[in-house]
Amino acid sequence: MQVKKYLEWFLGWKSDTCRFGICFLLNLTVLLGVAFILGVFSAEFLGADEASHVVTGIMVEQYLTRGVWEGKGAMEFASDYYAHYPYFAIGHWPPVFYFFEAVWIAVAGLSRSSIVVFALVIAPLPGLFCSWLCRREGLGWGLAGCAGVVVSCVPQSLISTIEISSDPMTAVAILVSAVLCDRWLSDLSLKWGAAFGLSAAAAVMVKGNAFVLGLVPGLWILFTGQYRKVLEAKFWAPLLCVLLIAAPWYLFAWEYVQGEIVPGHTTNLWARRFWSALSNGLGITAIAGYGIFLIAIAGTWKGWTKRMPAVAVLPLACWLFLSFLSPHTEARLMLAVIPVFCFSAAVAMKDFRLWKSVGILAVCLLGAYWISPVPTKSQVGFVAAGEWLAAKIGVAGAKVLVSSNGGGEGALISEMAMRTPKPGIMILRANKLLQSTTWMGGDLKLLASERSEVAKLLERNGVDWVVLHMRPEMEAAPHQKLLIAELQDWNLVSVNGEVKIYQRRVLK
């Protein structure tokens, strides 16, 4: 009888595992198709922060596969790599995402397609988590799978997918931690407290906005009214896990991290918080589409919030954290909210026929696209420019200056890093050479105020090649105008869409 019991359990576990595997593959297939349609496999990395994510992953892979065996220290290797490819930000962001990216590159190879597929493999996980929540609440596989696909196809989810970023991985880590928090707070057991603490520490080591998890236990207490738990020592045990694991990193990188707490220049912090609260309040209602948001509110009447209070308070925790503790207004930082809303919407429709639920979700999804269309990604010339530079400039130590009025400095550096991950040429950024700013772009000062001063800076730094990217619809920055004037005396050697390459004219 005991053997029969274990056999039945194993077969049931295997069956559920297979179905979740099918849900994952369904999400992945949809995302692969969408990425192909949107041109992700051929476009440059021009999105928000994605070039720095790509270059950082390549740098970490190079250190693990080359630098370690050469006996170089991590800081020494990173400094040398930054001198050649100055566009990565490990320190500004924690290392966990880049470690996984580096392992992927080492196993799957380095190419544009490989990096895109890495992002696409992570992207279905929030949808899969939504499907798991649906099954946990007793919903059928059809509705659970459909809700998961909706999570992956919501405009903000797709934008965060096609722009290579750590946000989907952060969202999954936050969601897993929220579920573990529910389990821990139900009885304050040390086992589940350690599990929550470890998962929360892992989450904040993916990206700093995961510190939102620090608000979840307190909101859980307020939501359930179990105030006495705060007085028990075991309530504070997970905090110790987070401090022991994450604090050393954040203290080490504090110089760069502190600029991300309140990014940009702020003269009135409370005005900034008020604006962030208003913007995030509007943004959180629209992040999954207004239709899904309204149905999700109806889903809370079904009682699931009492069974999973930590998951239920997650949207509120995100709003509070990103409005008052670390004011940000980027919707991508609230990605973990989308699976919660889609799950609650599915719960609201659990008594509907499947075709009716699918139809309603489809209409809501179309409405979300009508409000927030997802743009295609197109080449502007950096792919061809990278190929030209890699083929024509083979001299180690040759210096190339890149200047862009549309976020293209990182795009060129990522193109070169993919082609020659062990760098030979050195790329200099006009944003750093011709002007100075703080880490987050504040306190801008020109380092050259005349064309002759630009010429002297280029000569002093040994620049013989300049890559210039100018978007026609955008005005050139002051330092770019001076650079363009100086380039009139240089040879234009290659034109690739919006990207031009100049070589210093040699006097005979």
Side-chain angles (χ1 to χ4, degrees):
M1 291 296 293
Q2 195 74 2
V3 173
K4 182 179 179 181
K5 176 183 176 182
Y6 282 120
L7 184 61
E8 289 174 350
W9 173 84
F10 174 75
L11 291 174
W13 170 81
K14 185 178 180 181
S15 177
D16 277 356
T17 302
C18 289
R19 289 191 177 100
F20 279 120
I22 292 170
C23 289
F24 174 81
L25 291 175
L26 178 62
N27 277 269
L28 180 60
T29 302
V30 170
L31 289 172
L32 282 167
V34 172
F36 181 79
I37 293 170
L38 295 177
V40 181
F41 285 96
S42 58
E44 296 102 341
F45 298 113
L46 271 166
D49 301 326
E50 63 177 334
S52 60
H53 290 307
V54 171
V55 177
T56 305
I58 295 172
M59 187 275 291
V60 174
E61 185 271 338
Q62 285 290 295
Y63 176 68
L64 294 177
T65 58
R66 182 167 59 86
V68 170
W69 308 111
E70 293 175 357
K72 293 185 177 180
M75 289 298 295
E76 177 192 359
F77 187 89
S79 298
D80 180 67
Y81 208 87
Y82 188 83
H84 291 82
Y85 293 152
Y87 212 85
F88 60 84
I90 193 167
H92 180 67
W93 291 302
V96 168
F97 175 78
Y98 305 113
F99 173 77
F100 282 104
E101 185 183 6
V103 171
W104 176 275
I105 291 171
V107 173
L110 176 57
S111 67
R112 190 184 322 278
S113 297
S114 171
I115 292 171
V116 171
V117 170
F118 169 72
L120 293 177
V121 168
I122 297 172
L125 296 179
L128 187 66
F129 191 89
C130 176
S131 298
W132 178 81
L133 288 176
C134 290
R135 288 297 298 160
R136 188 184 184 195
E137 193 64 15
L139 277 62
W141 276 105
L143 183 54
C146 181
V149 171
V150 170
V151 170
S152 298
C153 293
V154 163
Q156 184 57 55
S157 294
L158 284 180
I159 291 170
S160 296
T161 299
I162 65 177
E163 289 186 353
I164 311 302
S165 75
S166 58
D167 294 310
M169 183 180 288
T170 308
V172 174
I174 291 173
L175 290 163
V176 170
S177 293
V179 171
L180 291 173
C181 182
D182 262 327
R183 179 62 186 84
W184 160 59
L185 287 172
S186 64
D187 59 7
L188 288 185
S189 68
L190 286 176
K191 179 180 72 172
W192 289 106
F196 170 60
L198 290 171
S199 66
V204 300
M205 290 297 284
V206 177
K207 197 169 184 180
N209 61 293
F211 275 109
V212 67
L213 290 165
L215 297 178
V216 172
L219 291 174
W220 190 98
I221 294 294
L222 291 174
F223 186 82
T224 60
Q226 300 182 42
Y227 304 111
R228 289 185 176 275
K229 290 192 174 184
V230 179
L231 302 177
E232 297 189 39
K234 290 184 290 185
F235 179 83
W236 303 99
L239 178 62
L240 184 61
C241 291
V242 176
L243 288 176
L244 289 175
I245 296 173
W249 170 266
Y250 280 91
L251 290 173
F252 166 75
W254 181 246
E255 177 184 355
Y256 306 106
V257 171
Q258 60 182 327
E260 183 62 21
I261 298 174
V262 184
H265 184 65
T266 300
T267 55
N268 188 323
L269 185 57
W270 278 107
R272 171 74 173 270
R273 285 168 170 159
F274 175 79
W275 166 251
S276 297
L278 178 61
S279 180
N280 289 329
L282 296 173
I284 207 166
T285 61
I287 193 168
Y290 293 117
I292 290 175
F293 176 74
L294 293 173
I295 300 172
I297 293 176
T300 61
W301 300 339
K302 299 288 186 177
W304 72 266
T305 57
K306 295 180 180 179
R307 293 183 287 277
M308 289 181 274
V311 176
V313 302
L314 194 55
L316 176 59
C318 286
W319 178 77
L320 289 171
F321 181 80
L322 294 173
S323 298
F324 299 103
L325 297 182
S326 181
H328 289 70
T329 55
E330 300 99 319
R332 58 194 172 94
L333 300 180
M334 297 188 288
L335 211 60
V337 171
I338 296 175
V340 178
F341 285 166
C342 290
F343 158 65
S344 187
V347 172
M349 298 183 290
K350 68 178 182 179
D351 297 325
F352 294 3
R353 290 185 179 273
L354 179 59
W355 65 266
K356 188 175 181 180
S357 301
V358 172
I360 292 172
L361 288 173
V363 170
C364 291
L365 194 58
L366 289 173
Y369 278 97
W370 181 71
I371 297 170
S372 304
V374 179
T376 59
K377 296 186 73 173
S378 58
Q379 293 188 23
V380 300
F382 283 109
V383 173
E387 292 174 353
W388 192 94
L389 288 172
K392 299 294 184 180
I393 307 178
V395 181
K399 293 184 178 180
V400 177
L401 179 77
V402 57
S403 178
S404 170
N405 68 340
E409 291 185 352
L412 179 75
I413 295 171
S414 64
E415 291 295 325
M416 297 306 298
M418 283 190 294
R419 286 168 174 79
T420 53
K422 183 179 180 180
I425 67 172
M426 301 182 73
I427 300 179
L428 305 178
R429 297 174 55 191
N431 279 344
K432 304 293 185 181
L433 186 66
L434 304 181
Q435 64 179 20
S436 68
T437 65
T438 61
W439 178 257
M440 298 302 294
D443 299 329
L444 188 149
K445 296 178 182 177
L446 289 177
L447 299 179
S449 56
E450 298 179 358
R451 172 183 169 180
S452 59
E453 293 177 352
V454 171
K456 290 178 182 178
L457 277 174
L458 296 181
E459 185 175 359
R460 188 184 310 145
N461 286 276
V463 176
D464 289 319
W465 306 83
V466 174
V467 177
L468 180 67
H469 169 232
M470 298 298 296
R471 284 189 166 175
E473 70 276 11
M474 297 179 65
E475 186 180 357
H479 73 277
Q480 289 176 313
K481 293 178 181 179
L482 294 172
L483 177 62
I484 292 169
E486 167 61 19
L487 291 176
Q488 293 176 4
D489 294 335
W490 290 46
N491 291 325
L492 177 62
V493 294
S494 180
V495 178
N496 308 280
E498 298 175 358
V499 182
K500 297 178 180 179
I501 302 177
Y502 293 85
Q503 182 180 16
R504 181 186 294 277
R505 188 173 293 168
V506 180
L507 297 177
K508 296 182 180 180

